[in-house]
Amino acid sequence: MASAYEQVRHTRRLAAALDASARLPLLRAGLRLGLFEALRTPQSAGALAERLALAPDLVASWAQALHAQGWLRRRDDAYEIVPTVAWLLDSPAAGALQALVDLAAETLGRQLLELPELLKGAERPPLDPYQEAQRVAAISGMAEGRAVHALRRIPGADRPRRVLEVGCGRGGFLAKLLAWRRDTQALGVEADPRAAEDARSRLREAEVSRRAEVRVGDFMTLELAKGSFDLVLLNHNLHRFPPAEHEALFRRAAGRLAAGGVVAVQTPVLVEGPLADLLGLRASLALLDLVLRMNRGVFGLPDLAGLHRTLAEAGFGATGEVPVLPGGVVRYVWARASS
């Protein structure tokens, strides 16, 4: 029988879990309806509801719930946003952060409801490639600038002239890369036609489309000239390739590289350490690994030691790693083709 102290401690943990399940929908409502934006100026729930023409009782309960969870401050009867919410609104990656909140609120809970049946052996559902492109765009959008900067620290990848991105998704990274390197030409290969069209639009908006092409197809079978690229990129999509096929994937990438060219695989990794724990990223990435594996044809986050070993078996020479995010929770694993 648990002591009174243990019962209180367990109850607090359960209450925290229940709060966490509600937090994303509450944040999503605040972002989508302009509630947080309006609360840059302290005001009562009644004034907020009148200003935005929303249901007064629900606005009052929404504000009360987020105040209880620490996402709003209250002075007398006036609410205002806390610094974390201001960061969500004002960060250079605000669009990506808010897209991530949207995506998680809309899909994560629904997917996890299926876990009991999947654990018992139910057939895993196929992952919609366009939905996956949206998820990857939301996650990687927070770090695209950092990822481009990280390329500068990879030997042989700091001044690429001819770049191939395998699985370019919606084109965000390719647009950032071409904006940084004005003398770079790039080809994106994307299996999903909808994501490929999004990528073309993104490249046009970034005014770099004259130096880029997006082709629809499977990288493993698409006709691509050998030895024609200095840099081959795989950004946040290695989990879509069966581990048993990684060596063939890397051999094909090596065949498209010029002598001394580099392949760079950007991926989240499951890491332990004080910084990853402090940032809350270890738990988030463990959850991401689980959600990925719940889909048919998706294989979870890679094992780093195995990834280095497979690159060597595929014929690459030197390999190494460069962190993209603090704590190394997202990093590039790179390898150089033999001269």
Side-chain angles (χ1 to χ4, degrees):
M1 183 74 176
S3 68
Y5 169 76
E6 289 174 323
Q7 290 186 47
V8 169
R9 183 163 59 88
H10 298 327
T11 300
R12 286 185 64 185
R13 291 197 72 177
L14 178 59
L18 294 173
D19 286 346
S21 71
R23 196 168 296 142
L24 278 174
L26 290 171
L27 290 174
R28 179 173 179 259
L31 292 166
R32 294 192 102 187
L33 297 177
L35 289 155
F36 287 138
E37 187 65 40
L39 287 175
R40 290 181 187 272
T41 303
Q43 57 195 294
S44 69
L48 180 63
E50 182 177 358
R51 177 176 175 180
L52 298 178
L54 300 173
D57 62 327
L58 294 181
V59 171
S61 290
W62 171 86
Q64 180 175 276
L66 281 182
H67 173 253
Q69 293 186 9
W71 290 85
L72 292 177
R73 282 195 292 245
R74 185 171 65 195
R75 298 178 183 176
D76 298 325
D77 66 342
Y79 292 94
E80 63 180 337
I81 59 175
V82 299
T84 301
V85 174
W87 170 72
L88 272 174
L89 297 174
D90 298 332
S91 166
L97 290 166
Q98 293 176 35
L100 185 60
V101 170
D102 257 355
L103 195 61
E106 290 170 4
T107 65
L108 188 60
R110 186 173 68 249
Q111 284 183 279
L112 288 172
L113 286 175
E114 301 171 4
L115 183 58
E117 296 305 315
L118 295 174
L119 286 168
K120 291 189 294 184
E123 184 177 2
R124 302 181 193 192
L127 186 65
D128 179 83
Y130 190 59
Q131 183 186 74
E132 172 68 356
Q134 290 177 302
R135 183 194 340 238
V136 169
I139 295 172
S140 63
M142 295 184 294
E144 281 170 356
R146 285 180 174 269
V148 169
H149 184 75
L151 284 178
R152 304 177 191 183
R153 305 197 301 276
I154 296 176
D158 55 334
R159 300 182 67 84
R161 298 296 299 272
R162 301 162 298 168
V163 174
L164 168 64
E165 185 176 9
V166 179
C168 67
R170 303 178 75 187
F173 185 86
L174 215 51
K176 280 272 196 320
L177 175 65
L178 292 172
W180 164 51
R181 291 294 307 170
R182 296 290 179 179
D183 57 350
T184 293
Q185 302 282 330
L187 170 65
V189 172
E190 173 54 48
D192 185 77
R194 297 164 294 176
E197 191 53 44
D198 285 349
R200 294 185 186 107
S201 297
R202 182 73 176 272
L203 293 166
R204 285 194 296 269
E205 290 168 6
E207 299 181 346
V208 295
S209 57
R210 287 185 297 177
R211 293 183 286 118
E213 179 189 358
V214 177
R215 295 177 61 183
V216 176
D218 180 354
F219 170 67
M220 297 302 291
T221 58
L222 199 64
E223 190 66 35
L224 297 167
K226 293 185 177 181
S228 54
F229 299 98
D230 306 306
L231 176 63
V232 173
L233 297 169
L234 289 97
N235 286 309
H236 297 286
N237 57 9
L238 189 63
H239 57 270
R240 296 303 305 270
F241 296 89
E245 297 177 11
H246 284 182
E247 183 177 344
L249 168 67
F250 295 140
R251 284 191 183 279
R252 184 164 178 81
R256 272 69 207 160
L257 284 169
V262 171
V263 64
V265 180
Q266 185 185 181
T267 181
V269 292
L270 294 170
V271 296
E272 296 185 8
L275 186 55
D277 287 338
L278 178 65
L279 295 172
L281 292 173
R282 183 163 71 97
S284 297
L285 289 172
L287 181 59
L288 173 62
D289 181 68
L290 171 63
V291 171
L292 289 173
R293 293 175 187 274
M294 288 170 61
N295 295 275
R296 189 190 322 152
V298 184
F299 303 92
L301 301 182
D303 168 67
L304 281 176
L307 184 52
H308 282 281
R309 185 168 57 251
T310 304
L311 285 164
E313 291 168 351
F316 284 93
T319 69
E321 297 176 19
V322 170
V324 174
L325 291 182
V329 293
V330 175
R331 64 185 71 181
Y332 271 115
V333 178
W334 59 268
R336 187 181 298 126
S338 301
S339 300

